């Protein structure tokens, strides 16, 4: 099993969610987060400079069986990108075990 964590633009969330559903990923968790990125310049609006170093993003946490990992990552890559700085990051890590609390069963079947 793999845990896929993605930090994406909030404006891309709906498109990413649809892309994940299209490849069969129907359950994941998400949070609104604030982070610091590589963009150091501020923006000026009506003569007032605003800092853009604190960036609002959406954090996705997805656990899938190994055979779904590549399709999941590709769905995020193809739907979250704009080609600009700040598109986000994807992290993939191994999950040793998963348990369904209701029944006590464990393993990859609990993800279905």
């Amino acid at each position: 099993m793999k845990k896929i964590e993605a930090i994406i633009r909030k404006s891309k969330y709906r498109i990413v969610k649809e892309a994940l559903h299209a490849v069969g990923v129907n359950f994941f968790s998400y949070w609104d987060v604030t982070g610091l990125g590589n963009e150091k310049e501020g923006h000026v609006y009506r003569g007032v400079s605003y800092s853009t170093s604190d960036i609002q993003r959406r954090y996705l946490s997805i656990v899938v069986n190994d055979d779904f990992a590549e399709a999941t990552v590709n769905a995020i890559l193809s739907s979250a990108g704009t080609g600009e700085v700040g598109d986000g990051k994807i992290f993939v890590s191994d999950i040793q075990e998963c348990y369904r609390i209701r029944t006590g069963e464990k393993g990859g079947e609990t993800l279905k």
Side-chain angles (χ1 to χ4, degrees):
M1 290 176 285
K2 301 289 186 193
K3 182 176 187 179
I4 300 167
E5 299 168 289
I7 302 169
I8 63 170
R9 295 176 185 271
K10 288 176 82 171
S11 62
K12 289 290 194 168
Y13 173 72
R14 185 183 56 76
I15 297 166
V16 171
K17 181 176 75 170
E18 291 170 0
L20 289 169
H21 286 309
V23 297
V25 177
N26 295 309
F27 177 81
F28 59 89
S29 299
Y30 68 91
W31 300 265
D32 289 333
V33 296
T34 302
L36 299 173
N38 291 328
E39 189 175 347
K40 303 295 183 208
E41 299 176 9
H43 291 294
V44 177
Y45 178 72
R46 294 188 179 184
V48 178
S49 180
Y50 294 92
S51 170
T52 57
S53 62
D54 294 334
I55 303 168
Q56 298 293 313
R57 293 290 182 257
R58 189 144 288 167
Y59 180 95
L60 309 178
S61 178
I62 309 161
V63 178
V64 295
N65 285 313
D66 289 338
D67 56 339
F68 270 82
E70 187 174 348
T72 302
V73 169
N74 288 337
I76 297 168
L77 286 172
S78 66
S79 59
T82 66
E84 300 293 324
V85 172
D87 277 348
K89 298 277 190 283
I90 300 172
F91 307 97
V92 180
S93 55
D94 291 322
I95 295 293
Q96 292 180 353
E97 194 60 81
C98 178
Y99 295 86
R100 180 171 286 142
I101 294 173
R102 177 176 48 89
T103 63
E105 66 185 303
K106 67 179 186 175
E109 290 297 313
T110 62
L111 299 176
K112 295 180 179 180

